Each structure stands twice: as structure tokens, then as C-alpha cells.
Amino acid sequence: MVRKVVRYLNNPILEQVAEPVTEFDTPELHQLIEDMFETMYKSHGVGLAAPQIAVSKRVTVIDTTGGEEDEEPEQLVLINPQVIAKDGKQTGEEGCLSIPGFREPVRRAKVATVRAQDVKGDWFEITGEDLLARAMQHEIDHLNGILFLSHLSALKRDLIKRKIRKLQKAGEWE
Ligand code: NI
């Protein structure tokens, strides 16, 4: 089921630290993950974190192919994830399904290694480069209540906030 994506400034859940998952392989967890992929593909995103659908759980889904029809899906589920190593630097345009219409260059590590649990609760490690590294860092930030705006200058961040407040007032930000 496609869920509603919560937008920045409309719901404080996006700026809260999400709760760890403690029960694995449950129908609820499977459903949550299925819904998250569906919601992400519908919005043409490459990653989604549970707080973005108003669920305060440490769950993210990623597919750097974006679910495009001519590419094989590469679905990655990260539960209770942590970045355990980073290397190098990359700067690239970043957006967020909770802040649609705004894209800004963000500096991230070029390579990131993440330790996480899968849907059954088994721990694994994955190392990603470039877009996958960026997506994992962006999504794990979400679980800590951090949006990509936090990586911008205060000036740029305030400008975007002001624009969003205007859109809110105009009823164009829901
Ligand atoms: Ni995001």
C-alpha cells in the first residue's frame, strides 16, 4: 500500500530520533517494508526512511535504480543501521521526498560501510560507493532526525525554510 509521505515542517517526527526495531520477521515489519518500497517507487525516490511515512522506527529501504523499468531492482533493507566506516568525499545534488522541489549540493563520504539487521534480525555489513553511499548516509540521517538541510549553510537552510513556510501558507505544501 502506498503511504503518505510526511513533509518537512508539517510533522515533527522527521526531526526525532526513531525507535530501534526489536521484533523481527513479523507480518507488521514485512508489511511496513513492502509499503515503503511501494511508496518510494511511486515517488521516484532511491531511498525512504520509516519516519517519512510517520512511523518512528529505525527502518530504511534503498534502491539506487529507482525502480526504473529497464533496470533490475536492487532492493536493500537496512534495519537498526549504523555507519561504521567512511572514506573519501563526494559532493552531489541531493533531494528528499519530504522536501520535494528542493535540491542542493551536499558533501558526503564517497564510500560508506554500514552494519545493519535484515528483516529476520540477522546482522550484515554492506559497503557502498557514490550514489549507494550517499543514499545510505542520507537515510540513516533520517533515523536520527537529521535532514539534508542540516548539511547546508545556515543561510541556505533558512532560505529554504522561508520558501516552505510560504508554500504552507498558500496551502501548497501538504
Ligand atoms: Ni530524505
Side-chain angles (χ1 to χ4, degrees), residues 85-110:
K86 288 189 202 184
D87 195 29
K89 290 272 174 260
Q90 58 168 323
T91 301
E93 286 250 311
E94 212 167 287
C96 180
L97 295 178
S98 294
I99 317 173
F102 295 93
R103 293 183 70 79
E104 294 291 338
V106 176
R107 210 160 109 117
R108 300 272 187 190
K110 184 174 171 62

Side-chain angles (χ1 to χ4, degrees), residues 7-171:
R7 290 198 184 183
Y8 173 59
L9 287 176
N10 292 359
N11 190 328
I13 198 166
L14 290 174
E15 293 175 276
Q16 290 164 2
V17 176
E19 294 291 324
V21 173
T22 53
E23 283 182 71
F24 292 88
D25 213 14
T26 61
E28 293 77 18
L29 187 58
H30 283 277
Q31 188 65 53
L32 174 67
I33 289 165
E34 195 184 310
D35 289 355
M36 285 174 67
F37 274 115
E38 253 186 79
T39 305
M40 180 188 84
Y41 289 135
K42 189 181 171 241
S43 311
H44 305 287
V46 296
L48 189 76
Q52 292 184 274
I53 56 165
V55 175
S56 188
K57 289 257 168 75
R58 301 186 77 78
V59 178
T60 89
V61 299
I62 292 172
D63 184 343
T64 54
T65 72
E68 295 303 323
E69 271 173 30
D70 54 343
E71 286 192 72
E72 280 291 305
E74 283 176 32
Q75 296 192 335
L76 176 63
V77 176
L78 301 174
I79 302 175
N80 299 330
Q82 259 189 310
V83 178
I84 56 169
K86 288 189 202 184
D87 195 29
K89 290 272 174 260
Q90 58 168 323
T91 301
E93 286 250 311
E94 212 167 287
C96 180
L97 295 178
S98 294
I99 317 173
F102 295 93
R103 293 183 70 79
E104 294 291 338
V106 176
R107 210 160 109 117
R108 300 272 187 190
K110 184 174 171 62
V111 182
T113 300
V114 169
R115 183 172 145 79
Q117 281 168 287
D118 64 18
V119 72
K120 301 215 156 143
D122 292 325
W123 288 96
F124 66 98
E125 282 182 22
I126 178 167
T127 298
E129 263 190 73
D130 301 322
L131 180 58
L132 179 55
R134 175 177 297 282
M136 292 197 297
Q137 291 169 85
H138 177 114
E139 298 313 326
I140 292 171
D141 265 0
H142 269 299
L143 304 182
N144 295 318
I146 297 167
L147 295 151
F148 82 86
L149 299 183
S150 302
H151 297 281
L152 307 180
S153 69
L155 200 72
K156 221 170 219 180
R157 188 166 54 243
D158 288 346
L159 186 72
I160 291 174
K161 261 191 182 176
R162 274 209 299 278
K163 285 185 181 166
I164 291 173
R165 291 226 165 85
K166 260 191 201 160
L167 289 167
Q168 275 180 322
K169 272 189 195 146

